[in-house]
Every structure is written in structure tokens, then in C-alpha cells.
Amino acid sequence: MEKVGFIFDLDGVIVDTAKYHYLAWRKLANELGFEFTKEQNELFKGVSRKRCLEILLDIGNVKATQEQFDTWMVEKNVDYLAYIEKMDSSEILPDVTRVLEYLKKKNIPIALGSASKNARPILEKVDLLPYFDSIVDGNSVTKAKPDPEVFLIAANNLGIAANSCVVFEDAVAGIQAANAANMVSIGIGDADILNEADYNFNDFTEMTDDFLKSLLNKEHKA
Ligand code: BG6
Ligand code: MG
């Protein structure tokens, strides 16, 4: 049997950091004189920090000089880091650790494939760093999801063929990136939104060990 690799997105898959990203973006929006809603924050899932700021400024109809843009990028991240400062393993989403343990016991290589530049410190805070054989994050890529780059680098680092990798993602752009990489895509969240995924689950509590086992034995993508 050919070896299989598993790639996890971070935000929204392993931890629910969307709420902290939201608070930091909302603070910036309010300072710039406009509202930023939770619904609008949905657009930011899986999207790079730079692109998020571009969208935010569009929402507020704010024109920025390059210097202001750079300052606001830093400001948002400083606020975000303050919000995540106290994160600990209690913020790991339900059954993520069970799935990681299952894969580890079977010696399956595991990578992180995240758009975040803060991925490593977050994994450290929640004590999950030791599970990962490779971490590919916003510091390692030149092209954002839905480009497959982040997942292709992860597969390469694991030494596994792309079409033998399985990706867990909560963002539409992430599912599209996994599909573009010819990997098995598993949507974590609303199946209506993540309707391009090969499989859908609301969260990891719905994912049985038997299902995980089936992924280890399955025929991979052509
Ligand atoms: C993604 C999040 O994982 O990372 C996005 O879903 C976020 O909302 C992006 O904008 C970049 O994160 P960071 O931590 O580098 O600002
Ligand atoms: Mg995500």
C-alpha cells in the first residue's frame, strides 16, 4: 500500500481563532470609523492577512497609502497576538486530538498547511506542535489559497505524493486549494458552504476511526 499523508489547516480546523481575528479586524474598522460584522468576517476565512486588509478597506470605503496599509497590517496583528496570548489546550476543537493520536499511532505523516504567519506559536500554545512532521504556514508560501502551493509544499516536505494526501479544511478557498493539488478534500463545517469537498463533516466528533481507516486504504486520486 502506498503511503498516505494528512494535512491540517489550523484556523477553524484545529482551533477556533476566527473569533480573535474578528475582534482585531473589528477594532481596526471601528478606529477607521466603520462597522465590521461577524457575517463579513466569514469572507476572511482562509484568506491572507494582506488580502483581508484589502477587503476590509473596501468594506469601509477607505483609501490607504502604502505606509498606512503597512501600519494597519502590523496594528491588526499586534491586537490579534494580544487576543491569542492566553490560548491553551482547552481551545483545541473537539476530537482534534483523538484524530491526531489515531494517525500518530499508525505512523502516518502529518503536516500543517495554513495561511497564518502565527501558526507555529499557536500550535505551541495549545501543545500540539509535537504531532506535526512539517509546518507550512503563511511565512513559507508566495501564493495564497485557493492556489495549491501551501499543500504541495507540505506533501513534498512529508515525502508523499500529492494525490496520496488528505486535507482537512474549513474554508472554501482551502477546499479549492486541496482539489487543485489533486488531494482528497475534507470539509470541516457547513456542507452547503463547503460543497466542493470530497467529504463533509460538521466537526471531528462526527468522524469515526473507521472513516479515518478507510482513508488509509482508499484508492487515491488519479
Ligand atoms: C487563516 C485565517 O488561517 O490565516 C485567516 O483563516 C487569516 O482569517 C489568515 O487572515 C492569516 O493569518 P495571520 O495569523 O497570518 O494574520
Ligand atoms: Mg481555516
Side-chain angles (χ1 to χ4, degrees):
M1 190 175 69
E2 208 186 318
K3 256 199 133 181
V4 185
F6 277 68
I7 307 175
F8 289 73
D9 174 48
L10 176 74
D11 296 313
V13 169
I14 293 178
V15 281
D16 177 20
T17 37
K19 59 189 179 206
Y20 300 127
H21 281 295
Y22 171 63
L23 291 174
W25 285 125
R26 189 182 66 179
K27 181 169 174 282
L28 179 61
N30 292 168
E31 278 167 22
L32 296 176
F34 63 96
E35 283 306 321
F36 176 58
T37 66
K38 278 201 165 143
E39 288 67 39
Q40 289 166 329
N41 190 56
E42 287 297 306
L43 300 172
F44 285 23
K45 285 189 177 171
V47 176
S48 70
R49 194 184 311 164
K50 180 168 175 282
R51 185 70 198 121
C52 287
L53 181 54
E54 287 167 359
I55 302 171
L56 190 83
L57 296 180
D58 274 351
I59 291 170
N61 211 3
V62 173
K63 301 268 169 289
T65 63
Q66 187 60 50
E67 203 186 336
Q68 284 172 320
F69 192 95
D70 295 344
T71 305
W72 294 336
M73 286 266 284
V74 172
E75 189 183 320
K76 184 268 169 179
N77 197 49
V78 168
D79 289 332
Y80 177 66
L81 290 176
Y83 287 122
I84 63 168
E85 161 110 51
K86 291 196 180 70
M87 267 183 100
D88 62 24
S89 52
S90 67
E91 296 205 40
I92 300 170
L93 286 167
D95 273 15
V96 167
T97 311
R98 173 182 60 85
V99 171
L100 286 167
E101 272 295 323
Y102 178 90
L103 298 172
K104 253 306 164 249
K105 280 208 185 94
K106 302 229 177 275
N107 277 321
I108 306 292
I110 304 171
L112 191 85
S114 166
S116 173
K117 296 189 172 179
N118 297 302
R120 193 175 278 274
I122 290 174
L123 284 181
E124 269 168 17
K125 277 179 198 302
V126 301
D127 239 354
L128 289 181
L129 201 52
Y131 286 98
F132 291 86
D133 301 295
S134 170
I135 295 192
V136 186
D137 62 14
N139 301 296
S140 343
V141 297
T142 54
K143 292 174 229 134
K145 299 170 188 175
D147 190 281
E149 184 185 24
V150 61
F151 296 140
L152 292 174
I153 296 174
N156 191 50
N157 289 355
L158 295 179
I160 305 285
N163 63 358
S164 294
C165 287
V166 176
V167 174
F168 297 118
E169 255 294 348
D170 72 312
V172 174
I175 293 293
Q176 289 169 341
N179 291 342
N182 210 18
M183 298 177 176
V184 175
S185 55
I186 303 191
I188 305 292
D190 189 331
D192 290 335
I193 297 172
L194 304 174
N195 56 18
E196 292 172 58
D198 293 320
Y199 301 93
N200 290 92
F201 294 89
N202 282 311
D203 58 42
F204 284 102
T205 65
E206 292 183 350
M207 199 181 294
T208 62
D209 286 359
D210 279 348
F211 174 75
L212 290 168
K213 193 171 168 199
S214 75
L215 294 172
L216 309 183
N217 299 320
K218 82 183 292 303
E219 288 278 300
H220 299 124
K221 288 201 163 178

